[in-house]
Amino acid sequence: MADINLTKYGITGTTEIVHNPSFDDLFKAETDPSLEGYEKGQVSELGAVNVMTGIYTGRSPKDKFIVMDENSKDTVWWTSDEYKNDNHPASKETWDVVKKIAQEELSNKKLYVVDAFCGTNADTRMAIRFIMEVAWQAHFVKNMFIQPTEEELKNFEPDFVVYNASKAKVENYKELGLNSETAVVFNITSREQVIINTWYGGEMKKGMFSMMNYYLPLKGVASMHCSANTDMNGENTAIFFGLSGTGKTTLSTDPKRLLIGDDEHGWDDNGIFNFEGGCYAKVINLDKESEPDIYKAIKRNALLENVTLDENGKIDFDDKSVTENTRVSYPIDHIDNIVRPVSAAPAAKEVIFLSADAFGVLPPVSILDPEQTQYYFLSGFTAKLAGTERGITEPTPTFSACFGQAFLELHPTKYAEELVKRMKKSGAKAYLVNTGWNGTGKRISIRDTRGIIDAILSGDILNAPTKKIPYFNFEVPTELPGVDPKILDPRDTYANVSEWEEKAKDLAGRFIKNFAKYEGNEAGKALVSAGPQK
Ligand SMILES: Nc1ncnc2c1ncn2[C@@H]1O[C@H](COP(=O)(O)OP(=O)(O)O)[C@@H](O)[C@H]1O
Ligand SMILES: C=C(OP(=O)(O)O)C(=O)O
Ligand SMILES: [Mn+2]
């Protein structure tokens, strides 16, 4: 491998560079008995190493900043009083300071450098160089991003650089206009990200997703927070949008289908393509029977995060004492049924919006018309589940535009436009699937949800008898093969229909209130009638 010189990144005195290490090198490095603190990994009974990430066991959206400069000023969807989001502006001066903190942290050390791609296709992918001092962080990005071939590594020219200085802190954050000692800062112009004082692996993967969400729609390519799979012939592609914990990974990992990817995809003229080379599954309460493929993927080279192990490496997947956001990352080829050689397939025919409704109002599946599709995509109603974001400790209802507001760098309507354009062209149909709660007070079972997904993908749902649900005007099937018919109308899951009515009216009101922010133009106003009516 060509030698690299890190002085051009302002990193000096480097004692050793471990450049693009193998999985075996990483295994040795992260289990080195001399390691201390959060650098230290422990081998589990399944062969995968587990690491702990310290205080930050989820993303920290309040600490996310983007440099506001000539280039980003008028393109980025900045947070505002009218519409708060996670794109907080940082000045160029602040950028210089945080970058210097990272450079100093990373100087005079042994470092890991991993070169990888984000995006399957040569015309839209980003070549990223990750620089870090912690071995397991190198392992994480090797799992999650697309590994270049030997040939591609020889000529690798990064177009984005990530400085992970998780051990550093921003002491003078107040005077810099930052939120805390922790900072995740992007510079869209110089194409760099700096990470300070958080060890959560997800900041690196979701950070690069945010950047794809900036660059791709500007090139006319849809950039989507969704999982994707296709049938065994690679013809009938489906995408599953959803905020964290709503089931993208669980439901796209389907032994009857080929997995394209579990979280981040683009949609261009050739179809659906993955941004990533691996998956990042939640493992809280992981059950071998309902999620067999994910369970099987947890083996050597997979990396567990914040999972409880005893001294012999025995895993307790039910333990939430560290966080509910326990995770495993693994290279996509840990799943048997995947699209090969690259994670791509033709345009989607089914578009599924996964919403984990904590109120228990939404039907487990609704067939959406084109206007409802746009309305519910922009609304992005779901619950934030415990753990993925700092400060969220129980399911919290939220409207997360495009089912991924935390990662949108442009205005939500831009993503809706791109999606609608692509769906029209492929003739795709959309469905809203509630993977959350109903009147029983329990979460809808994975078994029932899988039955619903099967009926969508086989087309059976379009032949099922249907009825309309009041307030929302949702068309829902009254029977589907393999699904408990008593759950299909959410009203039947309540002891008393009036309980549902009351909650439904309340939720309809929340939708109406939330949508007001899109009513500033004709296109937005025209969608209001597709939404709930009180
Ligand atoms: N009906 C359901 N559908 C999907 N997942 C469910 C359901 N009920 C419970 N779960 C659990 O919810 C979590 C979904 O997480 P995951 O698939 O990783 O979501 P995402 O990929 O969207 O972040 C898993 O822990 C899964 O076991
Ligand atoms: C990794 C994350 O989400 P997801 O569960 O959607 O993969 C995240 O939001 O940090
Ligand atoms: Mn996921």
Side-chain angles (χ1 to χ4, degrees):
M1 205 151 318
D3 268 286
I4 46 167
N5 183 346
L6 297 179
T7 55
K8 68 177 169 213
Y9 302 115
I11 297 168
T12 54
T14 307
T15 55
E16 185 187 344
I17 299 177
V18 185
H19 192 192
N20 294 321
S22 68
F23 282 118
D24 283 345
D25 293 340
L26 289 165
F27 181 88
K28 272 196 217 103
E30 68 204 11
T31 56
D32 180 338
S34 71
L35 290 177
E36 283 178 14
Y38 306 132
E39 284 197 72
K40 200 184 172 101
Q42 186 191 354
V43 185
S44 74
E45 58 182 324
L46 296 176
V49 168
N50 179 59
V51 296
M52 305 307 274
T53 68
I55 303 171
Y56 290 83
T57 54
R59 271 180 306 102
S60 191
K62 290 194 171 67
D63 296 307
K64 177 186 170 194
F65 287 81
I66 300 167
V67 178
M68 191 188 259
D69 59 18
E70 283 311 305
N71 185 27
S72 65
K73 194 169 55 107
D74 301 320
T75 47
V76 167
W77 178 46
W78 300 105
T79 186
S80 67
D81 288 340
E82 301 81 67
Y83 195 163
K84 285 205 172 21
N85 65 43
D86 298 322
N87 296 324
H88 311 102
S91 68
K92 281 188 253 187
E93 292 70 36
T94 294
W95 168 257
D96 290 341
V97 176
V98 292
K99 187 168 166 190
K100 187 136 188 287
I101 293 173
Q103 287 165 329
E104 276 171 12
E105 175 61 38
L106 295 171
S107 285
N108 308 308
K109 300 255 167 77
K110 170 180 174 179
L111 293 179
Y112 293 86
V113 177
V114 175
D115 295 332
F117 294 120
C118 185
T120 307
N121 300 334
D123 59 340
T124 46
R125 72 190 177 196
M126 280 202 301
I128 307 168
R129 174 160 288 162
F130 294 91
I131 307 174
M132 57 238 133
E133 58 184 306
V134 175
W136 71 254
Q137 291 171 349
H139 183 178
F140 176 82
V141 293
K142 190 178 171 84
N143 280 354
M144 292 310 303
F145 289 85
I146 299 171
Q147 289 184 52
T149 60
E150 285 296 321
E151 201 50 40
E152 286 166 334
L153 283 178
K154 269 191 219 140
N155 308 311
F156 196 89
E157 263 312 314
D159 32 46
F160 207 100
V161 179
V162 177
Y163 304 79
N164 191 331
S166 53
K167 290 188 192 175
K169 280 187 194 325
V170 190
E171 308 278 354
N172 58 335
Y173 66 88
K174 278 200 188 121
E175 59 198 72
L176 295 173
L178 298 174
N179 172 62
S180 75
E181 289 179 326
T182 303
V184 178
V185 190
F186 298 87
N187 189 324
I188 278 174
T189 307
S190 66
R191 294 177 162 247
E192 294 169 292
Q193 179 194 18
V194 164
I195 299 174
I196 299 178
N197 197 40
T198 166
W199 293 61
Y200 177 56
E203 295 288 3
M204 289 187 279
K205 84 161 223 122
K206 282 302 214 273
M208 289 309 100
F209 177 49
S210 298
M211 292 301 99
M212 294 297 268
N213 273 336
Y214 178 81
Y215 299 113
L216 262 52
L218 295 178
K219 294 183 186 167
V221 175
S223 184
M224 311 176 292
H225 190 216
C226 67
S227 59
N229 65 19
T230 190
D231 64 7
M232 287 301 190
N233 301 322
E235 287 165 2
N236 182 16
T237 305
I239 54 179
F240 306 71
F241 283 89
L243 203 61
S244 180
T246 54
K248 294 183 299 301
T249 302
T250 304
L251 301 169
S252 59
T253 310
D254 178 341
K256 301 184 293 305
R257 294 176 58 89
L258 301 177
L259 180 67
I260 305 168
D262 82 324
D263 199 56
E264 310 168 2
H265 291 82
W267 190 345
D268 66 11
D269 293 342
N270 297 318
I272 302 294
F273 61 96
N274 196 354
F275 293 168
E276 302 182 283
C279 303
Y280 197 34
K282 282 183 178 275
V283 295
I284 197 71
N285 303 324
L286 183 71
D287 166 36
K288 212 172 167 174
E289 265 68 59
S290 48
E291 298 182 69
D293 295 299
I294 293 174
Y295 190 89
K296 259 190 7 209
I298 306 176
K299 56 182 183 183
R300 176 84 178 226
N301 300 345
L303 181 68
L304 294 159
E305 271 179 65
N306 296 312
V307 173
T308 298
L309 268 55
D310 72 11
E311 65 274 19
N312 301 315
K314 196 169 163 15
I315 299 173
D316 180 0
F317 283 118
D318 298 334
D319 187 85
K320 300 184 177 160
S321 59
V322 176
T323 175
E324 280 207 46
N325 192 31
T326 55
R327 294 272 179 168
V328 61
S329 63
Y330 47 84
I332 194 161
D333 64 10
H334 279 210
I335 301 290
D336 292 335
N337 288 345
I338 58 173
V339 181
R340 291 173 211 267
V342 295
S343 301
K349 291 273 191 261
E350 289 92 20
V351 172
I352 298 169
F353 299 151
L354 303 172
S355 171
D357 174 17
F359 293 123
V361 170
L362 297 184
V365 58
S366 309
I367 305 166
L368 303 180
D369 68 27
E371 285 68 41
Q372 286 178 319
T373 302
Q374 291 188 53
Y375 183 93
Y376 286 97
F377 185 64
L378 281 174
S379 297
F381 170 71
T382 187
K384 285 190 180 171
L385 300 189
T388 317
E389 284 184 5
R390 201 166 154 72
I392 304 285
T393 53
E394 55 182 47
T396 307
T398 183
F399 289 90
S400 181
C402 314
F403 301 100
Q405 182 169 302
F407 321 113
L408 304 185
E409 301 309 322
L410 308 171
H411 194 274
T413 50
K414 183 72 186 145
Y415 301 89
E417 261 168 44
E418 292 301 328
L419 179 66
V420 167
K421 183 174 94 189
R422 299 288 168 186
M423 283 182 68
K424 274 202 184 129
K425 212 165 153 206
S426 76
K429 273 200 76 62
Y431 303 85
L432 179 63
V433 171
N434 176 8
T435 61
W437 287 261
N438 62 19
T440 62
K442 288 209 213 81
R443 206 166 159 183
I444 293 164
S445 72
I446 296 184
R447 212 178 141 208
D448 279 323
T449 302
R450 283 198 198 280
I452 286 166
I453 301 293
D454 289 349
I456 293 173
L457 300 178
S458 66
D460 282 350
I461 196 168
L462 298 175
N463 302 320
T466 62
K467 64 158 106 158
K468 286 275 172 131
I469 300 292
Y471 306 114
F472 295 86
N473 206 28
F474 284 140
E475 184 182 7
V476 306
T478 53
E479 53 189 70
L480 289 177
V483 181
D484 177 0
K486 292 198 290 293
I487 67 164
L488 290 169
D489 182 337
R491 292 172 293 187
D492 298 341
T493 64
Y494 284 83
N496 193 332
V497 180
S498 64
E499 271 178 74
W500 181 86
E501 296 264 340
E502 201 176 308
K503 290 184 177 205
K505 272 190 240 172
D506 171 67
L507 181 56
R510 289 174 192 249
F511 266 100
I512 293 165
K513 196 167 156 221
N514 173 68
F515 207 79
K517 62 195 172 212
Y518 296 117
E519 290 168 33
N521 62 30
E522 289 309 313
K525 253 189 239 144
L527 288 176
V528 173
S529 60
Q533 313 292 323
K534 272 228 239 192

